[in-house]
Amino acid sequence: MTIASSSALDTREPSLGTPGLGSLLVLVLGTLLLGYYYGPAQGALFLVGGALGIALYHAAFGFTSAWRVFIADGRGRGLRVQMILLAITVVLFFPFLASGTLFGHEVKGSVSPAGIGVIVGAFMFGIGMQLGGGCASGTLFTAGGGNARMLVTLFFFIVGSVLGTINFDWWVSLPSLPPTSLVTSFGAVGGIAVSLIIFAAIAGLSVVVEKRWHGSLEVAAPSPRRGFARFLRGPWPLVLGAVALALLNFVTLSIAGRPWGITSAFALWGAKGAQLIGIDPTVWAYWQTPANAKALASSVFADVTSVMDFGIIAGAMLASSLAGRFAPSLDIPLRSVLAAVIGGLLLGYGARIAYGCNIGAYFSGIASGSLHGYLWALAAFAGNVIGVRLRPYFFLEKKILLRNDG
């Protein structure tokens, strides 16, 4: 999704419009109805999803574009903000993950085995990020913000997620290390210290690379809005977006008992869609585990991840309307559509076999101290390197901007 630079923004404040009013109504009524039929926690999580969508859109907080700009142009501001995001989150998460309770409720982190499936899946996901034009969170917030091309990516993201469940058991059977967390290995304080050292090293490396390439660090462009108007209509500073995402992930942990995730819902939606056309996903081992079988047999509105994803889409639509940028267009070049199809399939399949995406595995995985989160990040970054090299075959781009998509 192309987002205009701050200097090019119209200083006249846009009206909310029909899409904005509709999305606001959906958020309010959705929160009330979900709370009534599925419990207060489900309603609250839908609202948290809406807040995530607003934060993602207004801050244009992208993992895909930040990695692409660092790989192709040596600019590391987006990467450094990601390290700030992770640092805040581990400080918030680790003490409560170590104790196992938060506000009197049981909590657990997103900790999964680290093995071949994670490496292959994250590598595929990394390529898909650059071809699809976004990560998991980026796909949702840009689609909700009115980017029609990202709807194509989202559809095939869902298809790829279902395909990943077909032979998920085979990937799980491949060699891997057992689930390992810095919290259990070093304790809360030790785990935080180790994590912060890693984040500081990555941020420092990005500074060295950027200064070597450009001689100085990039400075964010000034915003035409100030105060509450900027908070309401954007654009937000990237750091504010990082703080908001960290806090909202912590709220998710406190309500849901586990961190924020996105892509398991895509597999669920796809499996339910497969049932509608006569395919029986229950024969696949993935859907025979108790938790997944229960989710498949229940309404999507009973699924925490689905409800939060719906909230993200509604929140992003509201944010784009407030910013005056909700203007969907179906004028999409064929090569760009092809990239969305390929990228979406890689994103979906890769996320399933790697135990998550940039949110569930990278952000929430590392926030949980999981070794698989770090392995995911390395493999996905390598995939992004390949994806960046492939982009010119699908997109006509001469200049890469930091804040142009998810």
Side-chain angles (χ1 to χ4, degrees):
M1 175 180 182
T2 302
I3 296 178
S5 65
S6 298
S7 60
L9 287 173
D10 189 343
T11 56
R12 292 174 298 175
E13 299 301 347
S15 60
L16 187 57
T18 301
L21 289 172
S23 57
L24 181 60
L25 185 62
V26 166
L27 285 169
V28 173
L29 290 181
T31 300
L32 295 174
L33 291 173
L34 286 167
Y36 180 79
Y37 287 104
Y38 296 96
Q42 204 74 339
L45 287 167
F46 177 69
L47 197 59
V48 172
L52 285 165
I54 292 171
L56 286 164
Y57 189 90
H58 273 340
F61 198 97
F63 294 85
T64 301
S65 53
W67 286 13
R68 179 169 68 250
V69 169
F70 182 69
I71 292 167
D73 198 36
R75 290 294 188 186
R77 182 165 63 97
L79 186 59
R80 289 190 291 276
V81 174
Q82 288 181 26
M83 296 304 105
I84 294 173
L85 168 71
L86 293 173
I88 295 171
T89 313
V90 298
V91 170
L92 291 172
F93 273 43
F94 280 18
F96 298 102
L97 292 177
S99 68
T101 60
L102 174 56
F103 302 138
H105 302 291
E106 181 182 357
V107 293
K108 60 180 180 179
S110 297
V111 183
S112 299
I116 294 176
V118 172
I119 296 172
V120 175
F123 183 78
M124 293 173 64
F125 192 94
I127 298 174
M129 288 170 73
Q130 297 303 331
L131 297 186
C135 50
S137 54
T139 299
L140 284 180
F141 91 76
T142 49
N147 189 318
R149 177 184 175 276
M150 295 308 291
L151 291 175
V152 179
T153 298
L154 177 59
F155 177 81
F156 284 95
F157 203 143
I158 294 169
V159 173
S161 297
V162 177
L163 295 176
T165 66
I166 295 176
N167 56 357
F168 178 78
D169 54 328
W170 181 79
W171 288 102
V172 171
S173 70
L174 297 179
S176 66
L177 297 174
T180 305
S181 169
L182 297 180
V183 178
T184 55
S185 299
F186 299 101
V189 176
I192 290 173
V194 172
S195 300
L196 294 182
I197 290 171
I198 295 172
F199 304 153
I202 294 172
L205 176 63
S206 75
V207 169
V208 171
V209 170
E210 186 167 350
K211 286 187 174 181
R212 183 170 296 176
W213 281 41
H214 300 280
S216 62
L217 299 182
E218 180 185 21
V219 178
S223 171
R225 300 189 182 104
R226 296 290 185 271
F228 183 72
R230 185 178 188 185
F231 176 78
L232 184 64
R233 301 183 183 276
W236 292 2
L238 275 177
V239 173
L240 176 58
V243 172
L245 294 183
L247 293 176
L248 289 168
N249 200 350
F250 183 71
V251 173
T252 302
L253 179 70
S254 68
I255 298 174
R258 50 89 167 159
W260 178 26
I262 287 180
T263 56
S264 64
F266 295 172
L268 178 61
W269 302 349
K272 285 185 175 292
Q275 289 179 321
L276 292 177
I277 60 175
I279 299 174
D280 182 14
T282 61
V283 300
W284 306 328
Y286 180 89
W287 297 108
Q288 293 172 3
T289 63
N292 291 336
K294 181 180 178 181
L296 187 59
S298 305
S299 166
V300 292
F301 297 111
D303 177 56
V304 167
T305 307
S306 294
V307 163
M308 292 190 69
D309 286 357
F310 297 149
I312 291 172
I313 294 172
M317 183 178 292
L318 174 60
S320 66
S321 298
L322 287 168
R325 297 196 189 113
F326 189 83
S329 173
L330 296 179
D331 184 16
I332 312 171
L334 182 59
R335 286 194 297 179
S336 183
V337 172
L338 180 60
V341 172
I342 298 172
L345 291 172
L346 289 171
L347 286 165
Y349 193 93
R352 273 310 82 219
I353 68 173
Y355 299 104
C357 57
N358 61 295
I359 298 300
Y362 175 46
F363 179 22
S364 291
I366 291 179
S368 303
S370 180
L371 179 61
H372 99 284
Y374 288 96
L375 183 61
W376 189 99
L378 290 172
F381 188 84
N384 272 266
V385 172
I386 302 300
V388 168
R389 301 295 182 267
L390 293 175
R391 279 181 65 91
Y393 295 101
F394 297 95
F395 304 99
L396 299 176
E397 52 185 16
K398 293 183 179 180
K399 186 177 181 181
I400 299 170
L401 300 178
L402 177 62
R403 295 164 66 90
N404 67 340
D405 62 31

